[in-house]
Amino acid sequence: MTQHDRRIDKTQKALKSALIKLMEEKDMRQITVTEIVKEADVNRGTFYKHYEVKDDLLEATIHEVIESLIQAYRHPYLNKETFTMKDLSASKIKLFEHVAANADFYRVIMLHPSVLPGFQNRLCEVLKKLSIQDLMFIHNMGTIDVDLQASYQSHALFGMIFEWVKGGFKYTPEHMAQQLLEILSNQPFSSGYQTILNK
Amino acid sequence: MTQHDRRIDKTQKALKSALIKLMEEKDMRQITVTEIVKEADVNRGTFYKHYEVKDDLLEATIHEVIESLIQAYRHPYLNKETFTMKDLSASKIKLFEHVAANADFYRVIMLHPSVLPGFQNRLCEVLKKLSIQDLMFIHNMGTIDVDLQASYQSHALFGMIFEWVKGGFKYTPEHMAQQLLEILSNQPFSSGYQTILNK
DNA sequence: TTATAATTGTTGATTTAACAACATTTCAGT
DNA sequence: ACTGAAATGTTGTTAAATCAACAATTATAA
């Protein structure tokens, strides 16, 4: 079992936040380790105890956000074999709460995509995998290509997040989740999905 | 000379913030050391390295805020023998900035005064001393009792801060300072003060 | 009242972070 | 191309914070 020393979490968190903050101003290549530790209010030597190079910190930062996203999304499904409308709603709320909790990060991703080229697609990949798991629950017996549908849904979800971040988080996570569910149920020709959800 | 180890500042800051946060919920007597260190995410043993009892932390917290207030107020006067309208304005801006920077603390003071009985008066005392120093600059040769005038001004200033905090900091520090100066110059019968300021 | 739980101080061993100093590398401006 | 400055890695020492465990005190409830 891993010893949990809070000092480790604190410094790593400080370094990650510092990196995100600096990414709002400048490109990754222009950010120096010295700048990061200054922003994080941490000794430079401490940085090298945790990470060998700058990109290690970046990767750790991204990894943490993505893991948090997955956990948030899956949380309502924990230890469940069937899932109801409520679980679906709770999952979306958790998702938007996650985005709000990592607002600084998502602001960088959405408003300065060139800082982390390709990350938007990486994010959609994650959302797609989560969507696929949702679709598995629904036992779609039709002729719909799961990948196509999942890609459709994940990018749509990304779009909602994008709009939310761009607009400065003007709505609550609950409101965003509700909007999403209403959009889903108002799709033209939507029938099978609806019948499953309404019960 | 004191060694400046950031860890000391960090933990003390964490403990102070935790205390302020807890004071928004409950009375000082109901707050335990265990609660504080949990909120501050600090080991309990660490608390006792810095403070012997709860009230030491409280006193340190208050002391820091008051010192910060005094420094903010005096900052524009540093190394000056005369002072102009600009310095006066800058001083008030700094003051309101200080309040905004310590918003959590002032929210407790203003909205839950019973948590720290008598502190509002203590705050006014500080403001009064600062006011007296201002009045010294002006060489008031008249028959005005300096203590009376300073008390008048300091409580008035307190009132503005009170209104600002209570309203949820809806205005900027600059706007608050400007309002104060306009109120000052619009006092009925104000003449001497005005002629000094306008130049 | 008594029992149970929670909080309090205190301790010692261990780990992490701070600091300062260093040689090296990279960068920017002349 | 040259030079001073900035950034990078690395090191050893020191000091702070963690953790766990403890007895003692204080609340809380049965």
Side-chain angles (χ1 to χ4, degrees), chain A residues 111-149:
Chain A
L111 306 184
H112 312 287
S114 60
V115 173
L116 281 183
F119 184 82
Q120 291 191 354
N121 292 338
R122 186 171 166 187
L123 181 61
C124 281
E125 283 285 331
V126 176
L127 292 175
K128 184 185 161 192
K129 280 182 188 165
L130 293 169
S131 285
I132 288 178
Q133 294 183 335
D134 278 2
L135 294 174
M136 292 309 182
F137 272 105
I138 301 180
H139 300 100
N140 188 338
M141 299 301 183
T143 60
I144 298 176
D145 184 321
V146 174
D147 277 301
L148 272 182
Q149 188 173 11

